[in-house]
Amino acid sequence: MQMSAIGLGLDTTFDDTSVAILRGKREVLANLTLSQYQDHEEFGGVVPERASRKHLEVINQLIAVALKEAQLDFSGIDYIAVSNHPGLLGSLLVGLTIAKSLAYTLQCPLIGVNHVEAHPYANVLTHGEMPFPVLHLVVSGGHTLLIQAKAHFDYKIIGRSLDDAAGECVDKVAKMFGHPMPGGPVVDRAALEFYGDTYDFPRPLLHKNGHNFSFSGLKTAMLRFREKHIENSSTNGNNPKPLPEEGPVLASFFQSVLDVLIHKTFKAAEINGLKNISVSGGLAASRKLRSAFEAEAARKGINLFYPPPNLCTDNAAMVTCLAAHRYEAEQFDDLTLDAFPNLIT
Ligand code: KG4
Ligand code: ZN
């Protein structure tokens, strides 16, 4: 099996269309992502039907630009990688259909990838091979997972969010305060600028329910907090109370999210005797999160890995990197490969 095989990878799981070309396991020849955030803004959230249509409109052009950037044509591609779960079914089907057509036409292997399993591979692109055993914290818009990995493809999920993902909670709270998607960068800026201890918001399941998370109670607490202050400011006659300054509120909210993520992750590492922690997923682009994790890792003597911000958020390079490992192990799929909205492990 060629060690410097070239893979073309597609990711259309949610609202980003991404195409990457990878040589070997780590050499990114192209990694292009088009975000749809603005296309959904007027609806206040991602509209699935619109998302699939947008993927369809841009994906072929994105593939052409990626090939140009990599100075290749289709004949230089050795395998096709595609995220086939989890995600919006219509969006997944766009990527999958194109991936199958390419694999069939080019007569090359097709490799279906679990998008969430691929997030930690952003750390392989950044730092080199994973130091197994490793504990992955994946904090994306759709998932909050703690994954214990012994080797490539040999892992188990030891913690997950029982309701909202951390990123989803951050996006929804930012939206309550009138900010468009994605809410993470706004909340992160507030958390860097203001102290996180002005308000004491809940830290759900901090010492309960093993390694699992829950963020919907915190989201509701933020909604109540906001409603209460809006009420106080509007029902106080001639002397309306000003609304609290937003920065310290968002900073305190994010401190709650971080306290839970940090406590649960490092506790899981301790209990399972793991010395390596990798953080990935869109929320890991937060500078506040990264410095808080760094400080705790230094205190606990843990090796911490996280990718640069552009590899934290959804991208096809991480998908192709995982596929490159599957290519080496000759784990191929065939043209009956299907798409699934749920996470399958
Ligand atoms: O991994 P991702 O791009 O998409 C999913 O697979 O879900 O993660 C999206 C999440 C959103 O919650 C978004 O607000 C957050 O990542 N995010 C950030 C930043 N960029 C995106 N959070 C904090 N700081 C950022 N710079
Ligand atoms: Zn993702």
Side-chain angles (χ1 to χ4, degrees):
M1 192 61 40
Q2 257 174 282
M3 292 306 288
S4 58
I6 296 183
L8 170 69
L10 309 177
D11 187 85
T12 59
T13 41
F14 192 44
D15 59 346
D16 289 320
T17 318
S18 190
V19 176
I21 298 178
L22 193 72
R23 183 187 284 132
K25 290 189 195 145
R26 292 187 56 211
E27 194 187 344
V28 181
L29 303 180
N31 184 27
L32 306 170
T33 305
L34 274 181
S35 166
Q36 297 182 2
Y37 280 127
Q38 279 165 1
D39 297 305
H40 300 275
E41 208 171 300
E42 60 179 303
F43 304 102
V46 175
V47 181
E49 172 60 25
R50 200 177 169 90
S52 1
R53 215 168 331 120
K54 288 282 157 193
H55 287 306
L56 203 51
E57 275 170 27
V58 299
I59 193 157
N60 282 327
Q61 221 175 330
L62 217 51
I63 292 172
V65 177
L67 284 168
K68 196 163 175 207
E69 212 169 271
Q71 299 182 335
L72 288 171
D73 57 31
F74 281 122
S75 66
I77 302 296
D78 297 302
Y79 66 94
I80 304 290
V82 63
S83 300
N84 68 320
H85 71 100
L88 296 171
L89 190 56
S91 292
L92 289 164
L93 284 171
V94 174
L96 182 60
T97 309
I98 291 185
K100 282 185 186 181
S101 314
L102 286 173
Y104 177 73
T105 316
L106 303 174
Q107 287 294 296
C108 68
L110 171 71
I111 300 174
V113 166
N114 170 347
H115 172 94
V116 179
E117 187 188 346
H119 265 297
Y121 281 78
N123 275 322
V124 176
L125 290 171
T126 311
H127 305 285
E129 273 310 328
M130 290 196 197
F132 292 112
V134 59
L135 179 66
H136 298 303
L137 170 68
V138 180
V139 271
S140 67
H143 295 88
T144 306
L145 295 176
L146 278 170
I147 303 169
Q148 185 175 352
K150 279 197 226 153
H152 294 293
F153 331 124
D154 181 3
Y155 61 88
K156 71 173 183 237
I157 295 175
I158 59 168
R160 61 171 77 225
S161 179
L162 304 174
D163 38 58
D164 290 8
E168 184 181 356
C169 175
V170 166
D171 288 342
K172 285 177 177 168
V173 168
K175 193 175 160 189
M176 273 176 217
F177 285 81
H179 298 290
M181 287 276 285
V186 176
V187 172
D188 188 37
R189 268 197 301 279
L192 287 169
E193 210 173 308
F194 296 93
Y195 289 114
D197 58 0
T198 313
Y199 301 94
D200 187 19
F201 294 124
R203 278 129 174 96
L205 301 189
L206 191 61
H207 299 290
K208 275 193 279 190
N209 216 314
H211 306 318
N212 291 324
F213 302 91
S214 163
F215 291 101
S216 76
L218 174 59
K219 179 187 67 187
T220 310
M222 298 310 296
L223 188 65
R224 296 282 167 268
F225 175 88
R226 201 175 141 68
E227 281 169 355
K228 192 175 116 203
H229 283 88
I230 289 177
E231 217 171 88
N232 285 346
S233 71
S234 59
T235 54
N236 236 349
N238 292 336
N239 244 340
K241 265 194 179 171
L243 282 173
E245 199 189 348
E246 181 186 295
V249 176
L250 291 182
S252 302
F253 155 70
F254 200 49
Q255 193 58 52
S256 286
V257 175
L258 287 186
D259 283 353
V260 175
L261 290 175
I262 288 179
H263 178 80
K264 293 260 175 186
T265 306
F266 284 86
K267 191 85 195 162
E270 186 189 321
I271 288 176
N272 293 288
L274 300 166
K275 286 281 173 207
N276 302 303
I277 294 180
S278 107
V279 183
S280 59
L283 202 61
S286 153
R287 280 181 294 161
K288 181 75 186 181
L289 183 148
R290 297 150 88 93
S291 64
F293 267 83
E294 261 178 18
E296 188 67 7
R299 245 192 313 274
K300 299 254 164 81
I302 295 273
N303 303 314
L304 179 73
F305 304 87
Y306 53 78
N310 67 317
L311 293 177
C312 287
T313 47
D314 286 350
N315 66 88
M318 66 187 195
V319 170
T320 320
C321 180
L322 167 54
H325 291 76
R326 296 261 312 272
Y327 182 84
E328 189 187 44
E330 296 189 44
Q331 294 180 6
F332 305 144
D333 292 291
D334 61 34
L335 295 177
T336 62
L337 184 69
D338 213 345
F340 305 95
N342 296 328
L343 177 66
I344 302 158
T345 51

